[in-house]
Amino acid sequence: MAKKPAAKHTDAGAPCPIMHSCGGCAWLGLPYRKQLARKHTAMRELFEPLIAQFDWDAQVEPVLGMGASRESGPVTVADAPLASPRALRHKAATPFAPAADGSVRGGFFARGTHDIVDCPACAVEAPGARELLNDVAHLATELGIPAYDEDRRCGQLRYAVLRCGWRTDESMLTIVTRSLEVERLDELAHRLIESHPELVTVAQNVNPRVTNAILGGQTRILAGRERMTDRLLDCTFEISPVSFYQVNPQQTEVLYQLAIDGMDLAGSDAVLDTYCGSGTIGLAAAAAARKQGFDIALTGVERNPEGVRDAVRNAELNDLDGTSSFIARDATEYMLEAARRGDHVDVLVMDPPRAGSTPEFLDASSSLAPRRIVYISCNPHTQVRDLKHLGRAGYRLERLTPVDLFPHTEHVETVAVLTRP
C-alpha cells in the first residue's frame, strides 16, 4: 500500500505551515525565553537529586541558548532574543516515497508515521537546504529513478542527507539507495552539482535492509571530492559522507568551548578522547592549548575506521599530527589494556551516543584515574545514570552546563566536568 500524504493543518497563525503535521519543531510557536526557562527547569529536576545524593557542590547552570548571530555568543533566559532562532540546522534530510502517479515525493515523515509531509521550505534548516533536497526528488522523477516503496520493498531512492558548511560555502549530499547499481544515478549526481555550485561532494550510500536506520554500510563517491570542509573554533575539518558532525555548528562551538574549559589543560597533559569520531573535540582542545603556548599529547579512540581516517587527516590539516594519534578500537577494550600497561591519562573526554556509556566503559575510565573527566551528553537521562556510577568510583561533579543545540524541541545537551580528589 503506497504511502499517503499526512493530513495538513492550516493554522494561518503558526510560524510554520506544517509544524503540526511534521512535529519536528514542537516548540516553534513558544517564545525563546520560555523555551530556555522550561529546559532549565527540566535539567534542575533531573540533576539536583543526584547532586544532593553525593553532596556535590555543583549547581545546574542556566541553559546556554543561541544568540541572534554567531558574533553575539550564547545567551541565557535573561538576555535571550525575542525572536526565535532560525536557519540553525546545517544537516538536513528527506525520506522518499512513490506518489500515486509514479513521481518521487520527499519532505518529512509525519510524527509517529512514515507518511510523507511535503515541505517546500524549512525555517530551521540552513538557507537553500530544503530547495536542494526537493531538487533531488524532481530530478529523480525526470530521470525515471524510482523511490523506494516500504510496503512492496521495491524501488531505489530511500533518503537524501545534506550537510552544509557553516564557515565555508561547501555542501555535501549523500543519496541512500536500496542497491548499488541504480540506472542514471551518476547522471543525477552530476546534474545536481551543475545546478548547485555549493555542492562539492555527491555520494551514494547503500542500505538494503528493512530498517528505520537511514544509512547502510557501503558508501561511494558519485561526483566531486571525497570530503567537504568546514571550520569550528579556528580548526579546519574535512567531513566524509558518513562521519559524525554536529547538526548545529554555532552551538557546537559553545559546547566544545565548555568542554575545553572544563579540561583545564596544562603543558604536556595526556588527553584521551573517547568516542572521538572525526577528532573534532580533541583537536579543537589541542589547537586551543597550542594557542596558549603549549602542546598536549592527544589520543583519540573510535570504533568507526572511517571516522579515524578523517581524524588523522584533520590532525594533519591543523598541523597537530605530531602530537596526536587516533586508534580504531573499542574504547573500553583500549582503556582496559592501557590501565594494564600503566599508561597515564590526565584528562578523559567522553561523548557517547544517546544510549550513554556502559558500566564496563565507566569502570575502565576510573581504572585510568584521570584527574578530570569531561562528559558531553546528547541524552541527560542516561548521563545521570553514568554520573552516579562515576560518583561511586570517587569522582565529584564540579560543573554541569546545559546547552541548547536544538531550539524549538525538548532536546538539551549537557557538559559535565568531574574531578578526582
Side-chain angles (χ1 to χ4, degrees):
M1 179 176 171
K3 295 290 178 274
K4 299 177 181 178
K8 293 184 179 180
H9 295 259
T10 56
D11 182 356
C16 170
I18 63 169
M19 65 175 288
H20 298 293
S21 50
C22 164
C25 302
W27 290 5
L28 190 60
L30 190 68
Y32 194 44
R33 291 178 183 176
K34 287 188 176 181
Q35 292 186 32
L36 295 180
R38 281 190 184 183
K39 293 184 179 187
H40 187 220
T41 298
M43 292 301 98
R44 288 188 60 186
E45 291 175 352
L46 182 62
F47 284 98
E48 285 182 351
L50 175 70
I51 292 171
Q53 177 184 345
F54 286 95
D55 195 26
W56 288 331
D57 295 329
Q59 293 182 340
V60 179
E61 298 180 4
V63 180
L64 295 182
M66 287 189 69
S69 68
R70 68 181 68 178
E71 290 79 18
S72 63
V75 298
T76 58
V77 173
D79 55 357
L82 293 175
S84 295
R86 295 290 190 268
L88 56 99
R89 290 177 178 255
H90 285 245
K91 177 183 177 183
T94 180
F96 296 116
D101 62 359
S103 63
V104 178
R105 296 185 61 230
F108 292 107
F109 283 139
R111 186 193 306 226
T113 77
H114 275 201
D115 296 333
I116 296 286
V117 178
D118 296 325
C119 179
C122 178
V124 299
E125 292 175 345
R130 188 53 45 178
E131 177 186 356
L132 194 155
L133 291 172
N134 287 335
D135 276 357
V136 179
H138 298 152
L139 282 172
T141 299
E142 181 182 325
L143 295 172
I145 303 173
Y148 178 68
D149 188 314
E150 287 186 330
D151 296 324
R152 299 175 181 175
R153 298 181 186 176
C154 62
Q156 284 294 349
L157 291 185
R158 300 187 68 159
Y159 297 93
V161 181
L162 177 68
R163 290 190 182 277
C164 304
W166 184 48
R167 295 192 182 277
T168 69
D169 295 326
E170 299 181 0
S171 294
M172 174 172 62
L173 179 71
T174 302
I175 301 171
V176 184
T177 60
R178 180 174 62 91
S179 58
L180 180 63
E181 299 301 326
V182 179
E183 190 173 350
R184 305 191 77 176
L185 188 64
D186 287 341
E187 184 179 350
L188 172 64
H190 285 93
R191 287 186 61 176
L192 285 167
I193 283 183
E194 287 174 4
S195 56
H196 295 276
E198 71 274 16
L199 268 180
V200 298
T201 303
V202 179
Q204 176 191 16
N205 177 269
V206 182
N207 186 355
R209 299 172 296 165
V210 180
T211 174
N212 287 330
I214 292 179
L215 297 176
Q218 184 179 4
T219 303
R220 71 183 182 105
I221 303 300
L222 295 173
R225 307 198 311 245
E226 291 187 2
R227 300 170 180 86
M228 66 167 281
T229 302
D230 201 7
R231 292 184 62 80
L232 286 174
L233 293 178
D234 298 324
C235 289
T236 299
F237 294 106
E238 288 194 348
I239 309 151
S240 61
V242 297
S243 62
F244 175 78
Y245 194 70
Q246 291 279 8
V247 172
N248 181 345
Q250 181 172 336
Q251 288 295 87
T252 297
E253 287 200 334
V254 176
L255 191 78
Y256 286 2
Q257 190 60 59
L258 281 169
I260 293 168
D261 293 344
M263 295 177 202
D264 192 26
L265 296 170
S268 72
D269 269 351
V271 177
L272 178 61
D273 183 7
T274 60
Y275 309 99
C276 75
S278 54
T280 50
I281 299 173
L283 290 171
R290 180 166 292 180
K291 200 170 182 180
Q292 296 178 55
F294 61 87
D295 282 323
I296 60 172
L298 172 66
T299 302
V301 183
E302 166 62 46
R303 294 181 65 174
N304 180 2
E306 188 163 347
V308 170
R309 285 193 291 271
D310 285 348
V312 170
R313 188 177 181 89
N314 287 330
E316 294 172 351
L317 283 172
N318 293 283
D319 194 27
L320 294 167
D321 49 316
T323 57
S324 62
S325 61
F326 295 92
I327 301 165
R329 286 284 306 278
D330 175 82
T332 302
E333 293 177 0
Y334 175 84
M335 287 191 295
L336 289 172
E337 289 184 8
R340 285 194 292 269
R341 291 194 303 264
D343 290 358
H344 175 73
V345 173
D346 295 293
V347 178
L348 186 141
V349 183
M350 52 188 294
D351 184 8
R354 287 192 61 79
S357 196
T358 64
E360 293 79 13
F361 177 97
L362 298 169
D363 288 339
S365 301
S366 302
S367 69
L368 286 171
R371 74 168 190 271
R372 301 179 83 83
I373 295 177
V374 178
Y375 185 161
I376 301 170
S377 175
C378 60
N379 185 349
H381 292 274
T382 55
Q383 187 181 37
V384 165
R385 178 200 66 204
D386 294 345
L387 292 182
K388 185 179 295 185
H389 194 109
L390 291 170
R392 290 169 180 158
Y395 280 89
R396 295 183 62 84
L397 182 66
E398 180 179 276
R399 186 176 183 185
L400 192 288
T401 312
V403 181
D404 188 23
L405 257 76
F406 298 97
H408 320 308
T409 74
E410 297 180 354
H411 184 78
V412 184
E413 301 222 359
T414 47
V415 179
V417 179
L418 300 103
T419 58
R420 189 183 188 99

